[in-house]
Amino acid sequence: MKEEFNIISNLIEENTRVLDVGCGNGDLMKFLQENKTKDIRGLEISKEKVQNCLSKGLTVIEGNAESDLKQFPKSSFDYVILSQTLQAFLNPELVINELLKVGKKVIVTIPNFGYWRVRLQLLFKGTMPVTENLPHEWYNTPNLHMCTIKDFYNFCSSKNIKIFKSIALKKSRISEINKSNLNYKNLDSHLGIFLIES
Amino acid sequence: MNKNIDTKKIIISNPLKLDCGKEINNFPIAYETYGELNSEKSNAILVFHALTGDQYVSGKNPITNKDGWWSYVVGENKPIDTNKFFVICANVMGGCMGSYGPSTINESTGKQIGTDFPIITINDMVNAQYELIKYLEIEKLFAVVGGSMGGMQVLQFVANFPDKAKLAIPIACTSSHSAQNIAFNELGRQAIMADSKWENGFYSNYKLNPDKGLAVARMAAHITYLSEKGLQEKFGRKLQDRDSLRYGFEADFQIESYLRYQGSVFVDRFDANSYLYITRAMDYFDLSKQYKGNLSDAFKETKTKFFVISFTSDWLYPTSENREIVIALNSIGADVGFVEIESDKGHDSFLLDVPSFLKTLGDYINSTYKVINERRI
């Protein structure tokens, strides 16, 4: 978690306007507030989590990214962050498009379904993968649209979304993803972090 | 009502032009304060009361001898902690607890003003209360807070005085009174005016009181403050002090007895004409219309931080209407937080012991106070 926060924080310039979509209990917001910028908002669907954030004095709105991002004007944030949430939406493509409208730049992190540990479970055990990063069983997972680093990379190229930076994370090892090492990074990383722009 | 009580009061000498066109001056605004203003004058919170509220937010209300109307929220060690904050609340213009209203005595005639009182608006109420803040020499409030009609005043206050509050918390309210809101208010007004003792609003001249009409108005309104589920769970079809139906029109059911009681205690503390004038002010409230149909424009000038709160079972000022305020604020990039609190206590939730509401509100106010103060250093 800490590594992911650090990477995200390093992608953000100081004193910019940030929106954290699916901000959960506000841990990332708090981290960025202490390290990068005071001007940070959150959007979260769970009442309980929204209340936790507000209790910490964080500016958070209870709402659903699929329907409530529309209310923000175009390019009203310097950065919009979607941390490990994309796979939980009914329509991830729509959400990405909304994020790209609201934010000048967008940071998306995805739990990589192409990670070898994940692949092995399906290959050898023949069951849906359950890992530290993806702890749910198939019948109770909130993750509707799992994807791999390669899937997301290809998605961006096919939709003409510019990738400014793509970073792979394995445990605490950080590396850059590029076209030539894509297959390897897709196999050997548990998390992908993308800085994109429309 | 205007019984001989020792209320804090200021007389506002500056002329105030009302929305109806009339200009008033030398009028009283009654208020109460709790806690102490710190030396930097940075801990003041202005609380706005709702339709039937008054300035007695906390502690014992000297008129009713009951707890202040927001005792769950304001007081020592409460979410708005009076050990820490200086809380101010004024009786709204049009009210009957010492501020300029229809029961104020006209000095030239020695009689109550009655329905010669001008029609007032939420805007007028807020402008009058701003005079109180000036009188108290508070340059900038830490927060303006209120539920229901109090929330409408919060919105109007920030629109009128964009740099006078750091934080605004409108709770369970709307930026524009809906047809349903107006309908219920009209029902209440008609009940009062249908009472033969109303005498076109000059009942005090005849030593009368349209208490039957006012009680019916209160009973109808009270239903709108609760939720269907809450009513069903609390009362169901339970009978009142009897084992079987009496085949008559007495209060057989507990809910009937409850409403009759609510009506009867209300008439002892509230003036019928005030009820007419204040409900009218609420009906006239349409903040977006004041800004040519664009609610966002009401908040364009402000840097005030907003926190909007609604309740799941509030059908009088439902979440959708509270959300419209959030949307308007978001569309201009204002600093706004929002949560809908789970509660089956209906619109009244903001006045009651709803732990998740009290906790979220208290934690938010306290951590925001800390953040804002730290930032200044």
Side-chain angles (χ1 to χ4, degrees):
Chain A
M1 217 50 161
K2 197 75 180 166
E3 287 81 13
E4 185 194 357
F5 287 7
N6 269 321
I7 297 169
I8 292 172
S9 178
N10 287 334
L11 292 173
I12 290 174
E13 285 179 45
E14 268 185 44
N15 300 321
T16 45
R17 265 174 78 84
V18 177
L19 174 68
D20 184 2
V21 176
C23 61
N25 288 314
D27 296 335
L28 176 61
M29 285 180 74
K30 203 93 193 150
F31 183 82
L32 294 175
Q33 209 173 48
E34 280 155 17
N35 294 291
K36 275 288 146 129
T37 178
K38 297 270 174 261
D39 198 357
I40 180 160
R41 316 284 162 76
L43 181 70
E44 171 58 47
I45 198 163
S46 145
K47 270 186 210 316
E48 205 186 315
K49 289 177 180 166
V50 172
Q51 285 168 29
N52 288 341
C53 289
L54 291 162
S55 290
K56 296 173 192 162
L58 297 167
T59 301
V60 172
I61 290 169
E62 181 184 335
N64 179 344
E66 278 167 298
S67 53
D68 292 325
L69 279 170
K70 282 186 201 69
Q71 60 188 269
F72 297 98
K74 201 169 177 292
S75 301
S76 51
F77 292 92
D78 296 307
Y79 299 92
V80 178
I81 303 167
L82 187 69
S83 164
Q84 303 200 37
T85 318
L86 183 63
Q87 72 279 0
F89 291 113
L90 275 173
N91 190 342
E93 185 179 358
L94 177 137
V95 172
I96 290 286
N97 290 335
E98 293 288 330
L99 296 175
L100 289 166
K101 265 185 226 155
V102 172
K104 291 175 192 155
K105 290 199 171 71
V106 174
I107 297 167
V108 180
T109 77
I110 53 165
N112 181 22
F113 216 63
Y115 186 34
W116 64 267
R117 285 179 184 277
V118 177
R119 295 194 203 187
L120 282 187
Q121 286 199 33
L122 187 57
L123 185 63
F124 289 116
K125 282 175 74 185
T127 57
M128 287 302 282
V130 177
T131 66
E132 203 182 319
N133 222 24
L134 300 163
H136 296 93
E137 296 284 353
W138 64 272
Y139 51 82
N140 63 12
T141 178
N143 301 325
L144 308 173
H145 294 275
M146 289 307 309
C147 73
T148 67
I149 286 179
K150 191 174 174 182
D151 282 327
F152 192 76
Y153 197 95
N154 291 340
F155 167 81
C156 290
S157 352
S158 72
K159 301 288 173 187
N160 287 322
I161 297 167
K162 271 178 249 155
I163 300 179
F164 273 88
K165 208 153 188 160
S166 43
I167 295 163
L169 188 64
K170 184 194 182 183
K171 302 277 180 199
S172 55
R173 222 182 60 232
I174 297 163
S175 56
E176 292 253 358
I177 305 167
N178 53 49
K179 216 166 186 165
S180 59
N181 70 10
L182 181 59
N183 279 320
Y184 172 66
K185 292 297 166 196
N186 192 35
L187 183 66
D188 197 37
S189 319
H190 76 270
L191 196 75
I193 297 163
F194 296 84
L195 176 66
I196 58 175
E197 190 190 76
S198 60
Chain B
M1 284 194 263
N2 264 339
K3 290 162 191 160
N4 293 325
I5 36 156
D6 196 16
T7 50
K8 286 197 187 102
K9 210 180 266 192
I10 58 164
I11 303 294
I12 292 166
S13 49
N14 285 349
L16 180 66
K17 176 109 191 236
L18 302 176
D19 281 334
C20 68
K22 207 181 156 190
E23 194 173 275
I24 58 170
N25 59 8
N26 291 319
F27 61 92
I29 288 294
Y31 69 100
E32 189 50 82
T33 66
Y34 304 85
E36 277 175 39
L37 190 60
N38 62 16
S39 53
E40 303 91 50
K41 298 188 176 184
S42 65
N43 67 337
I45 296 181
L46 177 61
V47 170
F48 296 104
H49 72 71
L51 167 59
T52 67
D54 50 43
Q55 62 271 45
Y56 302 109
V57 180
S58 184
K60 275 270 174 283
N61 182 322
I63 316 295
T64 60
N65 264 322
K66 288 184 176 155
D67 286 339
W69 60 270
W70 225 12
S71 293
Y72 284 115
V73 171
V74 180
E76 288 183 9
N77 305 315
K78 298 286 170 65
I80 296 178
D81 188 351
T82 49
N83 289 319
K84 186 169 172 182
F85 296 110
F86 178 62
V87 176
I88 309 153
C89 185
N91 184 212
V92 296
M93 187 192 279
C96 50
M97 284 290 190
S99 286
Y100 185 50
S103 56
T104 302
I105 304 291
N106 179 339
E107 280 173 17
S108 57
T109 63
K111 289 174 179 166
Q112 288 190 9
I113 302 172
T115 37
D116 285 338
F117 189 76
I119 291 289
I120 42 139
T121 63
I122 300 291
N123 180 44
D124 298 329
M125 291 177 184
V126 162
N127 289 335
Q129 288 176 77
Y130 180 60
E131 295 292 329
L132 173 64
I133 298 308
K134 280 203 291 194
Y135 165 80
L136 294 171
E137 296 179 335
I138 294 166
E139 187 49 40
K140 194 158 191 165
L141 294 158
F142 167 62
V144 283
V145 187
S148 196
M149 186 182 83
M152 299 176 204
Q153 292 173 80
V154 168
L155 300 176
Q156 186 77 59
F157 185 92
V158 179
N160 290 12
F161 312 106
D163 59 347
K164 290 295 172 195
K166 291 174 189 161
L167 174 65
I169 309 185
I171 304 165
C173 73
T174 181
S175 59
S176 164
H177 235 215
S178 69
Q180 180 177 264
N181 296 147
I182 297 169
F184 278 115
N185 277 349
E186 173 63 0
L187 171 66
R189 285 189 295 265
Q190 287 301 329
I192 291 166
M193 295 191 282
D195 189 320
S196 61
K197 290 189 286 181
W198 182 58
E199 297 284 356
N200 290 314
F202 295 101
Y203 43 85
S204 81
N205 294 358
Y206 307 96
K207 299 203 160 33
L208 294 172
N209 188 14
D211 48 3
K212 290 258 169 9
L214 181 59
V216 171
R218 177 63 168 177
M219 287 165 77
H222 201 87
I223 301 166
T224 70
Y225 304 150
L226 308 173
S227 76
E228 196 263 340
K229 184 167 178 262
L231 274 176
Q232 195 60 31
E233 275 173 10
K234 189 166 176 191
F235 301 104
R237 294 183 55 83
K238 280 184 257 178
L239 300 181
Q240 180 69 26
D241 302 329
R242 61 199 64 185
D243 300 325
S244 58
L245 300 176
R246 293 279 167 86
Y247 295 93
F249 294 109
E250 286 170 44
D252 276 351
F253 296 101
Q254 277 186 13
I255 179 62
E256 295 173 306
S257 167
Y258 172 79
L259 285 177
R260 288 182 191 191
Y261 173 76
Q262 291 296 332
S264 72
V265 293
F266 184 62
V267 300
D268 289 337
R269 70 171 178 93
F270 213 81
D271 175 52
N273 282 335
S274 277
Y275 198 88
L276 300 181
Y277 278 94
I278 299 174
T279 55
R280 202 67 186 138
M282 293 166 83
D283 291 347
Y284 279 8
F285 186 63
D286 185 353
L287 192 57
S288 70
K289 189 156 179 269
Q290 292 178 38
Y291 290 84
K292 300 194 172 72
N294 188 349
L295 182 58
S296 299
D297 284 351
F299 308 115
K300 235 178 179 163
E301 305 297 322
T302 189
K303 288 199 166 57
T304 300
K305 219 171 144 65
F306 278 84
F307 177 27
V308 179
I309 306 174
S310 71
F311 297 93
T312 49
S313 58
D314 184 350
W315 53 275
L316 194 60
Y317 299 104
T319 291
S320 57
E321 290 183 22
N322 288 273
R323 242 182 212 289
E324 274 174 30
I325 301 162
V326 177
I327 291 169
L329 286 162
N330 271 331
S331 78
I332 49 165
D335 187 343
V336 55
F338 165 71
V339 70
E340 180 197 50
I341 301 280
E342 190 87 46
S343 161
D344 60 12
K345 292 181 169 146
H347 179 58
D348 260 355
S349 296
F350 81 98
L351 297 168
L352 302 174
D353 186 14
V354 177
S356 61
F357 164 62
L358 297 173
K359 181 176 187 322
T360 308
L361 179 67
D363 288 350
Y364 183 82
I365 287 177
N366 286 303
S367 44
T368 304
Y369 185 65
K370 210 172 135 210
V371 167
I372 286 179
N373 278 355
E374 276 168 4
R375 234 184 257 182
R376 205 161 6 103
I377 294 163

